[in-house]
């Protein structure tokens, strides 16, 4: 009968066995398309996704045979709760096909986009991809016009071509969420955090970090005005968005040579990597060794054969944006990325390897529990290890610090902190605002003809950046960032940037570190590794405060450890921007055309 827990557990076993067949097939078809974007592979992907959605629907219907909401066994009850949460698979077949098609269209536009008519090119029909060309221009160019060409061209070739598909996707995603008992798709996405007032909590964390961001913003603005003297910076105080070393102004690490407190003491890891003939494989071996030295798991033998770690040179279209893949059969785990030999890519490699380590640690959980304690946890693992790898002490250990440089030199340490701030503090408003925008779209508070105006309201208000050229309602600049066409939520990175410092603090204590937090390197500490592994093994079988407690002893997110980490730099910045006006107007002023 409906309360027979023994029979229910047998059914859960059968579900798991079936899921470990259906999911690998769907993943394999998705992998084939992602590593070779063709219409044929797209049809195979759609077919496999249809099959998986039918399995999800069937399984959902079978959960109705059990009174699982009243089960006393928490673990079984939680498995039923997750099996019953089938997302977009709840849609009837024709609507499921429509939403999958709309998503495939946008992903294909984003991954195939190229920008032509580069200023100074003899052949105006020569076109350039984001990775590596446009990213390198945004990182290195100090030519205002060239930066503006890349910035505007990328948005013309991506976001501008998506509004219709995006509107269709929003409509159907909201319909699916409604059928699953949520108010809209944003409500569904937030439900994965199982946290009361989640939006309020995120706002409080963001407010807690605003002052630190304003200091860094004022310093960067002052130095960029010197570099681009004669060019227009808005009176409203924003920084033109194409000057920050990154296509989305989300990470300012490429401004290090301009912003380092002591330019004479560079941290030029990329140059050191190139001088030592680093290869993609060497970068992965370095990362894997950090994990195994903590007592964590090595990559399975198949990993390197089956992964795609470099951009293919045979001209085929691939999704270059990095991702880690769990095939849910406990055997196949892959990474797909278009690696370049740079420090940024060494960090991204640790980020992706962090995802795979999580897969390995929770692989014996029931399939529905093979996820992060919350999505932010999955994004934090690799970044926590990268906090140790990036320290001058560790760079010295792996011979990526110049031989004549002393890792304990206080000026070098301040340069290191600035480098970290340009990636971690600069990211905070960006990590916060993407889903602020999307949650409003899902709530219906932002209509299609307001998509771009609302996007720039948030970019101007929270991030303090402005568009270098006029924007129009016919633009769709949110669509120029991978996660929007790819329908990947983004608040997870904001959560990750907060909790990774809580994890770092706790693991440094476990590793017996004394002294300032930013100097800590947990390398080789199996005590720290064991704590991390114990948390990862839980997967999503427990609510995330239990997982957080397993590492830090706390049950809440808070920004105090991040602020402690950057304290020495905060003091230096306060002196540096003493005569500057901190902050900017909420609005960007006139940037709007009626188009
Ligand atoms: O997007 C990424 C890395 C890609 C990902 O590893 O997060 C990837 C995104 C993705 C999700 C879904 C489909 C395709 C790509 N997420 C995963 O691969 C993944 C796998 C399993 C569980 C959870 C996430 N980073 C973000 C920001 C970021 C956070 N930490 C970083 C460290 C270095 C560089 C960038 C970042 C960005 O580039 O804007
Ligand atoms: Zn990630």
């Amino acid at each position: 009968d409906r309360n027979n827990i023994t029979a229910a557990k047998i059914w859960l076993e059968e579900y798991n066995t079936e899921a470990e067949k259906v999911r690998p097939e769907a993943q394999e078809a998705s992998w084939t398309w992602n590593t070779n974007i063709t219409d044929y592979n797209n049809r195979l992907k759609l077919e496999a996704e249809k099959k998986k959605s039918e399995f999800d629907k069937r399984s959902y219907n079978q959960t109705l045979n059990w009174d699982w909401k009243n089960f006393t066994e928490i673990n079984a009850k939680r498995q039923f709760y997750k099996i019953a949460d089938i997302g977009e698979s709840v849609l009837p077949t024709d609507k499921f096909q429509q939403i999958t098609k709309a998503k495939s269209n946008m992903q294909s536009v984003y991954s195939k986009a190229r920008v032509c008519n580069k200023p100074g090119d003899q052949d105006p029909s020569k076109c350039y991809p984001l990775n590596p060309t446009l990213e390198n221009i945004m990182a290195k160019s100090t030519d205002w016009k060239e930066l503006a060409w890349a910035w505007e061209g990328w948005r013309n070739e991506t976001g501008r071509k998506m509004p219709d598909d995006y509107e269709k996707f929003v409509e159907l995603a909201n319909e699916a969420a409604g059928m699953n008992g949520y108010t809209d798709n944003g409500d569904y996405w937030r439900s994965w955090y199982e946290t009361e007032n989640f939006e309020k909590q995120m706002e409080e964390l963001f407010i807690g970090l605003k002052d630190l961001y304003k200091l860094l913003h004022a310093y960067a603005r002052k130095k960029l005005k010197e570099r681009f003297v004669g060019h227009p910076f808005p009176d409203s105080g924003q920084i033109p968005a194409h000057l920050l070393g990154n296509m989305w102004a989300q990470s300012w690490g490429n401004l290090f040579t301009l912003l380092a407190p002591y330019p004479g003491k560079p941290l030029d890891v990329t140059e050191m990597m190139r001088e030592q003939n680093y290869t993609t494989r060497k970068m992965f071996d370095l990362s894997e060794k950090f994990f195994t030295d903590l007592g964590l798991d090595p990559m399975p033998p198949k990993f390197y054969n089956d992964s795609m770690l470099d951009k293919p040179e045979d001209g085929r279209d691939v999704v270059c944006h990095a991702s880690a893949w769990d095939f849910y059969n406990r055997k196949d785990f892959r990474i797909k990325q278009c690696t370049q030999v740079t420090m940024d890519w060494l960090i991204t490699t640790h980020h992706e390897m962090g995802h795979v380590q999580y897969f390995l640690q929770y692989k014996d959980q029931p399939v529905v529990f093979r996820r992060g304690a919350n999505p932010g946890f999955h994004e934090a693992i690799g970044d926590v290890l990268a906090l140790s790898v990036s320290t001058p002490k560790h760079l010295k250990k792996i011979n990526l610090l110049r031989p004549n440089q002393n890792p304990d030199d206080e000026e070098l340490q301040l340069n290191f902190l600035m480098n970290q701030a340009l990636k971690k503090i600069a990211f905070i408003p960006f990590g916060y605002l993407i889903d602020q925008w999307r949650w409003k779209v899902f709530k219906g508070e932002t209509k299609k003809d307001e998509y771009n105006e609302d996007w720039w309201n948030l970019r101007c208000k929270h991030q303090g950046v402005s568009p270098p050229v006029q924007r129009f309602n016919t633009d769709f600049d949110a669509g120029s960032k991978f996660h929007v066409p790819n329908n990947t939520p983004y608040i997870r990175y904001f959560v990750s940037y907060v909790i990774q410092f809580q994890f770092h603090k706790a693991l440094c204590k476990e590793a017996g570190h004394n002294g300032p937090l930013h100097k800590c390197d947990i390398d080789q500490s199996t005590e720290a590794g064991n704590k991390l592994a114990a948390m990862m093994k839980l997967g999503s079988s427990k609510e995330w405060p239990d997982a957080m407690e397993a590492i830090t002893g706390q049950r809440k997110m808070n920004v105090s450890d991040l602020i402690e980490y950057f304290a020495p730099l905060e003091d230096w910045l306060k002196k540096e921007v003493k005569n500057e006006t901190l902050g900017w107007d909420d609005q960007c002023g006139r940037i709007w055309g009626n188009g």
Side-chain angles (χ1 to χ4, degrees):
D1 73 339
R2 289 174 55 78
N3 289 298
N4 180 335
I5 187 70
T6 313
K9 282 181 176 179
I10 291 168
W11 182 80
L12 286 174
E13 287 290 325
E14 288 162 0
Y15 169 84
N16 218 52
T17 306
E18 183 68 15
E20 287 194 304
K21 278 202 289 291
V22 170
R23 287 187 179 212
E25 286 167 12
Q27 287 294 74
E28 197 62 55
S30 182
W31 174 268
T32 303
W33 181 81
N34 270 267
T35 55
N36 186 8
I37 303 175
T38 63
D39 289 342
Y40 176 72
N41 288 338
N42 192 33
R43 275 197 301 280
L44 292 182
K45 180 165 80 93
L46 290 185
E47 203 38 53
E49 283 174 358
K50 179 165 172 268
K51 212 174 145 203
K52 180 182 173 295
S53 74
E54 281 156 5
F55 167 70
D56 290 344
K57 267 196 270 258
R58 226 174 22 252
S59 306
Y60 168 75
N61 289 327
Q62 287 169 2
T63 62
L64 301 175
N65 298 335
W66 314 96
D67 185 19
W68 59 265
K69 285 179 182 161
N70 296 317
F71 277 4
T72 49
E73 285 224 13
I74 300 295
N75 188 287
K77 180 176 178 178
R78 192 169 173 80
Q79 286 190 59
F80 272 101
Y81 166 67
K82 298 228 177 231
I83 291 168
D85 173 13
I86 60 173
E88 293 159 15
S89 296
V90 73
L91 289 170
T93 308
D94 62 321
K95 290 193 171 180
F96 180 79
Q97 301 278 44
Q98 282 174 41
I99 196 168
T100 314
K101 187 124 196 50
K103 292 198 291 190
S104 275
N105 289 349
M106 294 189 286
Q107 288 165 358
S108 177
V109 163
Y110 185 91
S111 293
K112 290 182 176 179
R114 304 273 185 282
V115 180
C116 318
N117 299 316
K118 181 169 180 293
D121 262 7
Q122 305 310 338
D123 172 4
S125 68
K126 199 166 178 333
C127 305
Y128 303 92
L130 177 70
N131 175 315
T133 321
L134 301 179
E135 282 181 339
N136 284 341
I137 290 170
M138 296 308 291
K140 296 195 181 70
S141 173
T142 58
D143 175 332
W144 179 287
K145 270 174 59 59
E146 184 180 42
L147 287 166
W149 161 80
W151 188 92
E152 184 176 19
W154 178 249
R155 282 153 183 79
N156 289 344
E157 296 307 319
T158 54
R160 214 175 167 80
K161 299 176 173 174
M162 293 179 193
D164 295 346
D165 276 327
Y166 198 73
E167 186 186 38
K168 182 79 187 161
F169 155 71
V170 169
E171 178 199 319
L172 290 169
N174 274 344
E175 193 172 323
M179 290 168 76
N180 290 322
Y182 298 98
T183 46
D184 60 55
N185 198 42
D187 182 35
Y188 170 53
W189 282 4
R190 293 188 296 273
S191 70
W192 300 326
Y193 293 86
E194 298 174 297
T195 302
E196 285 298 307
N197 301 323
F198 180 69
E199 290 183 70
K200 191 83 192 116
Q201 277 205 36
M202 292 302 106
E203 188 188 16
E204 280 158 14
L205 295 172
F206 177 60
I207 290 167
L209 293 167
K210 254 187 196 165
D211 289 344
L212 198 47
Y213 179 75
K214 280 181 179 175
L215 284 171
L216 186 70
H217 178 279
Y219 174 62
R221 182 178 55 195
K222 172 186 155 201
K223 302 290 276 186
L224 283 167
K225 280 184 167 176
E226 291 164 11
R227 169 179 278 183
F228 290 101
V229 68
H231 283 91
F233 280 61
D235 299 337
S236 46
Q238 281 84 5
I239 300 174
H242 65 319
L243 305 181
L244 289 146
N246 173 276
M247 184 57 88
W248 307 278
Q250 72 179 71
S251 168
W252 304 351
N254 292 310
L255 296 184
F256 178 71
T257 47
L258 174 70
L259 301 178
Y262 301 95
K265 300 194 171 176
L267 281 163
D268 52 353
V269 178
T270 298
E271 284 67 37
M272 291 291 280
M273 290 168 74
R274 292 194 170 144
E275 285 167 22
Q276 296 171 38
N277 300 319
Y278 260 63
T279 61
T280 295
R281 181 59 192 257
K282 175 134 174 50
M283 291 160 73
F284 275 87
D285 290 346
L286 198 69
S287 178
E288 183 175 5
K289 187 172 183 312
F290 199 100
F291 282 95
T292 52
D293 284 354
L294 286 174
L296 296 170
D297 294 343
M299 290 299 118
K302 298 177 64 181
F303 170 79
Y304 287 105
N305 292 338
D306 299 347
S307 293
M308 184 196 98
L309 304 181
D310 290 300
K311 183 173 188 177
E313 288 166 354
D314 57 10
R316 79 183 118 119
D317 286 311
V318 298
V319 175
C320 256
H321 195 89
S323 56
W325 295 61
D326 184 351
F327 284 75
Y328 296 104
N329 59 11
R330 310 187 209 203
K331 288 195 311 290
D332 288 308
F333 308 93
R334 299 175 199 166
I335 286 174
K336 173 189 63 54
Q337 65 180 51
C338 300
T339 313
Q340 304 293 322
V341 177
T342 67
M343 177 61 176
D344 270 357
W345 275 97
L346 183 60
I347 302 296
T348 299
T349 297
H350 282 79
H351 178 90
E352 298 308 325
M353 291 285 268
H355 285 311
V356 179
Q357 190 60 222
Y358 219 147
F359 299 155
L360 296 172
Q361 292 295 335
Y362 62 42
K363 69 178 171 38
D364 297 319
Q365 283 283 355
V367 163
V368 288
F369 289 158
R370 294 183 205 167
R371 307 190 63 164
N374 75 40
F377 277 61
H378 231 298
E379 299 307 330
I381 305 301
D383 286 14
V384 167
L385 273 69
L387 286 174
S388 288
V389 170
S390 309
T391 59
K393 183 165 82 171
H394 193 83
L395 292 175
K396 181 88 184 169
K397 207 189 288 182
I398 57 177
N399 195 27
L400 285 178
L401 199 68
R402 295 235 168 258
N404 63 339
Q405 287 185 311
N406 169 4
D408 295 322
D409 176 292
E410 281 312 304
E411 294 181 350
L412 183 77
Q413 280 293 337
L414 204 68
N415 276 357
F416 160 66
L417 259 188
M418 174 60 80
N419 205 23
Q420 292 296 95
L422 294 175
K423 288 181 270 192
K424 300 296 183 181
I425 300 176
F427 181 83
I428 293 298
F430 185 76
Y432 178 71
L433 72 84
I434 289 197
D435 283 351
Q436 292 301 315
W437 177 81
R438 272 195 288 204
W439 292 342
K440 282 181 72 179
V441 170
F442 292 137
K443 282 175 185 168
E445 291 171 9
T446 301
K447 299 280 184 277
K448 180 178 162 193
D449 59 8
E450 299 158 326
Y451 280 171
N452 213 37
E453 186 160 5
D454 205 55
W455 171 255
W456 280 105
N457 286 343
L458 292 167
R459 288 265 273 179
C460 294
K461 179 172 195 274
H462 292 313
Q463 205 179 358
V465 299
S466 58
V469 295
Q470 203 167 32
R471 306 317 287 150
F472 300 88
N473 292 336
T474 42
D475 291 307
F476 178 45
D477 293 335
S480 73
K481 177 63 193 173
F482 172 81
H483 299 68
V484 173
N486 204 65
N487 183 38
T488 303
Y490 210 81
I491 199 71
R492 57 183 58 177
Y493 301 106
F494 176 79
V495 168
S496 160
Y497 275 51
V498 171
I499 64 177
Q500 65 186 245
F501 287 92
Q502 292 177 258
F503 294 172
H504 186 56
K505 174 102 183 268
L507 295 178
C508 288
K509 187 160 165 258
E510 195 64 31
H513 171 77
N514 296 307
L517 185 57
H518 69 279
K519 294 192 176 184
C520 165
D521 171 12
I522 64 169
D523 190 21
Q524 321 244 338
S525 164
T526 48
E527 299 84 356
N530 290 342
K531 265 205 163 200
L532 203 50
M535 183 283 284
M536 289 191 274
K537 278 185 172 52
L538 295 171
S540 60
S541 62
K542 294 279 181 61
E543 299 205 4
W544 69 262
D546 295 340
M548 163 92 71
E549 194 168 28
I551 296 190
T552 70
Q554 304 160 325
R555 298 179 61 81
K556 290 191 79 61
M557 297 179 252
N558 70 60
V559 297
S560 56
D561 295 331
L562 187 157
I563 288 173
E564 176 194 331
Y565 179 95
F566 286 106
L569 183 75
E570 186 176 354
D571 297 339
W572 184 85
L573 281 170
K574 279 176 179 160
K575 288 201 285 288
E576 201 59 28
V577 297
K578 204 162 54 271
N579 305 326
E580 298 292 314
T581 310
L582 298 193
W584 52 87
D585 300 349
D586 278 359
Q587 297 291 322
C588 271
R590 215 190 50 73
I591 52 167
W592 212 252
N594 307 308

